[in-house]
Amino acid sequence: MAEEKFDVVVVGAGPAGSVAARFAAENGASVLMLEREREPGIPVRCAEGVSHAGIAPFIEIDKRWIASTINVARLFSPNGEHAYMYNNGTGYVLERRLFDAALCEIACKKGAELRLRADAIDLVWENDQICGVKYRHQGEIKTVYCDIVIGADGVESRVGRWAGMKTAVMLEDIDTCYQYTLTNIDLQGDSVDFYFGNQISPGGYIWVFPKSQNTANVGIGISGHLAKNNPPKKLLDEFIGKHFPNAKKTYEVCGGVPTANTLKEIFRDRIMLVGDAARQVNPVTGGGIVQGMIAGSIAGKVAADAVKEKRFDKKFLKKYKKEWDKRLGHLQNLHYALKNKFFQLTDEKFNNIVEICKSIPPEKFTLKELFSSAVKGDPKLVAEIAKAFVVSKFK
Amino acid sequence: MKINMRKCDICGTCVAVCPVDAIYVSEYEVTIDNDKCISCLNCLIVCPAQAITEEE
């Protein structure tokens, strides 16, 4: 087989990788995506919630990949009370398998190549410089040469490690998650529900994201350092037994969600990391679809510019981190600090927060209103944390 | 460390917390390089499928 060469090789065709490939391709670079699975978007390891505002800049909304439309979030305190939050704008629960495929199609239409069942296994080096990717494909080890590698290989990312970057996360900075898709349950259908409490889900929360009036993704995230004594599956099963005793499971999946800050190093000479691989995930909510897409768009454009200028050194690629910090990096910093406070709250404090939220009429529910109401309740801590949660939930 | 592939969901959470890059995920399996492994137990602790055990 003739030696292959592309300007950019993207490892992973999830949302971050596909958007990176698309932006690189539409700005003139030749791009190859390597995807380990037989199609993009599988297996779905995701609660599938996003905001309209988050995805709209990247893709025309298509009902094919929307399971349900969300208008409100409900926060449940440990004592069973709940408060409504309306001010996040419209959200969706996606069909990720179809959504990821749609994003990947856009990249392909813009000129990117996609190679499936292509499992990246190492970087190729020449004179101490990255110059390609080695991958397993159809039983053979193959090599593709390139000027820039974009690592979009998810939570289990190894691309960064091969390049010498420190990508390991600490146990307290990863959530151990378990999720079922349940059917035969009774729902309003337009609200996403979050359940908090140290008995319910220590260091994390349980989510109920409806996919229709009687089906939902119901999952749990437990902070990694607490997972040994609080196995997520056990806690989730208890919750379901209590709240949805007649439920039937139609899908079962587990996985890890980074709740860290963005990695210190997300680029080097000839390489950039995006999405879960760069730990570009909201540390409070664990949401990472939109973050990954934004990072992908920045990295893809920077890669194309680098190709035009023939500048692949880290000095040039620094633009990627600079832009990321400006767009979301600073916010992630803040959320990371808040996460550590939020998930250390006692059940009593969770109850207080929900009480305060409840005292505000739903239609008047703004951050300002919450803030002024909170002043008379617990304290600035409450306001600070609730604000972070509301702002970040669907970002 | 030992992975029970009957329990493993190939989610890759273990890879993210491995400080020494001793775990590898492919489309159909996860393997731990016991020569590199420093027995920190991070992978065992976070595995949502509880598929990892300490090898005797």
Side-chain angles (χ1 to χ4, degrees):
Chain A
M1 198 173 146
E3 224 170 60
E4 277 198 296
K5 165 82 176 39
F6 288 80
D7 295 326
V8 180
V9 169
V10 180
V11 180
S18 285
V19 170
R22 170 244 182 119
F23 275 77
E26 80 186 351
N27 287 289
S30 66
V31 182
L32 174 68
M33 285 182 275
L34 299 175
E35 169 55 47
R36 189 172 71 197
E37 305 289 337
R38 62 193 66 212
E39 62 175 287
I42 62 161
V44 176
R45 294 190 198 281
C46 181
E48 305 184 288
V50 289
S51 67
H52 171 82
I55 61 170
F58 297 103
I59 189 164
E60 207 176 305
I61 306 298
D62 183 339
K63 61 178 193 295
R64 276 191 316 138
W65 40 257
I66 291 182
S68 61
T69 301
I70 303 301
N71 298 308
V72 60
R74 295 192 295 179
L75 305 188
F76 285 80
S77 56
N79 63 9
E81 298 291 317
H82 66 269
Y84 290 91
M85 294 191 167
Y86 281 93
N87 66 334
N88 297 300
T90 301
Y92 303 115
V93 178
L94 300 172
E95 296 292 350
R96 269 292 299 276
R97 184 179 183 165
L98 302 177
F99 177 74
D100 285 26
L103 284 176
C104 194
E105 272 170 27
I106 297 174
C108 293
K109 281 180 188 153
K110 298 287 181 188
E113 298 279 330
L114 171 65
R115 196 148 303 155
L116 296 162
R117 303 195 74 170
D119 188 13
I121 54 170
D122 210 347
L123 296 171
V124 183
W125 299 78
E126 230 165 60
N127 305 322
D128 284 335
Q129 285 204 319
I130 296 165
C131 66
V133 179
K134 220 179 260 180
Y135 64 102
R136 206 178 275 123
H137 186 236
Q138 298 175 337
E140 285 175 52
I141 308 283
K142 298 179 180 173
T143 297
V144 55
Y145 292 91
C146 63
D147 295 316
I148 291 185
V149 175
I150 296 181
D153 51 338
V155 65
E156 69 264 45
S157 175
R158 296 186 83 226
V159 170
R161 293 182 188 237
W162 297 329
M165 294 145 101
K166 286 196 172 67
T167 68
V169 295
M170 297 185 299
L171 290 185
E172 50 269 45
D173 286 342
I174 193 154
D175 271 17
T176 302
C177 303
Y178 216 95
Q179 177 178 273
Y180 301 112
T181 303
L182 297 183
T183 192
N184 202 32
I185 57 179
D186 203 14
L187 298 165
Q188 284 185 332
D190 75 332
S191 85
V192 287
D193 297 344
F194 300 87
Y195 292 80
F196 298 95
N198 292 301
Q199 305 299 319
I200 295 167
S201 181
Y205 62 87
I206 284 180
W207 60 86
V208 179
F209 283 14
K211 300 195 81 168
S212 76
Q213 295 285 330
N214 46 36
T215 63
N217 291 332
V218 180
I220 189 170
I222 305 282
S223 184
H225 68 296
L226 303 172
K228 194 152 189 257
N229 297 324
N230 305 280
K233 183 178 191 301
K234 183 171 163 273
L235 290 173
L236 183 61
D237 287 341
E238 283 170 13
F239 174 86
I240 289 168
K242 194 171 150 202
H243 288 79
F244 305 113
N246 300 318
K248 300 278 197 296
K249 294 159 191 161
T250 60
Y251 188 69
E252 179 170 350
V253 73
C254 57
V257 175
T259 56
N261 211 336
T262 306
L263 292 179
K264 284 212 170 63
E265 201 182 10
I266 55 173
F267 68 96
R268 270 193 180 187
D269 288 343
R270 305 171 78 93
I271 187 166
M272 291 179 271
L273 300 181
V274 295
D276 276 19
R279 316 308 180 203
Q280 286 158 325
V281 175
N282 181 319
V284 178
T285 64
I289 300 171
V290 172
Q291 282 84 344
M293 289 163 74
I294 289 172
S297 68
I298 302 166
K301 175 75 169 59
V302 168
D305 291 347
V307 169
K308 275 181 206 149
E309 310 248 334
K310 295 198 176 358
R311 287 274 314 273
F312 311 114
D313 56 296
K314 64 179 176 209
K315 241 179 167 170
F316 190 89
L317 301 186
K318 196 176 171 195
K319 278 190 193 168
Y320 162 49
K321 181 166 166 50
K322 219 174 151 191
E323 184 66 17
W324 166 256
D325 284 343
K326 208 168 89 190
R327 294 279 294 279
L328 278 179
H330 286 310
L331 199 60
Q332 193 178 344
N333 241 335
L334 170 72
H335 287 154
Y336 182 66
L338 286 174
K339 177 198 89 164
N340 291 326
K341 287 187 197 168
F342 187 73
F343 290 113
Q344 281 166 14
L345 291 180
T346 59
D347 281 2
E348 197 188 334
K349 291 233 166 147
F350 278 124
N351 291 338
N352 279 350
I353 290 180
V354 168
E355 273 312 307
I356 289 166
C357 294
K358 269 173 72 180
S359 67
I360 304 165
E363 66 280 5
K364 281 193 183 163
F365 200 112
T366 63
L367 294 179
K368 207 176 146 204
E369 188 64 33
L370 174 63
F371 186 80
S372 45
S373 303
V375 173
K376 63 178 185 213
D378 190 343
K380 37 182 200 226
L381 180 71
V382 172
E384 192 183 6
I385 284 166
K387 178 179 161 189
F389 194 75
V390 177
V391 171
S392 61
K393 185 152 52 57
F394 271 125
K395 266 278 156 60
Chain B
M1 310 304 291
K2 203 176 172 185
I3 300 182
N4 179 348
M5 282 311 298
R6 292 200 176 130
K7 285 189 177 181
C8 175
D9 200 34
I10 318 183
C11 71
T13 310
C14 50
V15 182
V17 296
C18 178
V20 292
D21 195 19
I23 312 181
Y24 170 68
V25 185
S26 77
E27 186 188 349
Y28 52 87
E29 69 174 351
V30 178
T31 44
I32 297 183
D33 181 343
N34 278 310
D35 292 338
K36 279 191 184 175
C37 175
I38 55 167
S39 300
C40 70
L41 305 188
N42 279 0
C43 55
L44 182 151
I45 292 165
V46 299
C47 176
Q50 298 189 288
I52 306 179
T53 47
E54 272 185 276
E55 216 167 27
E56 303 80 60

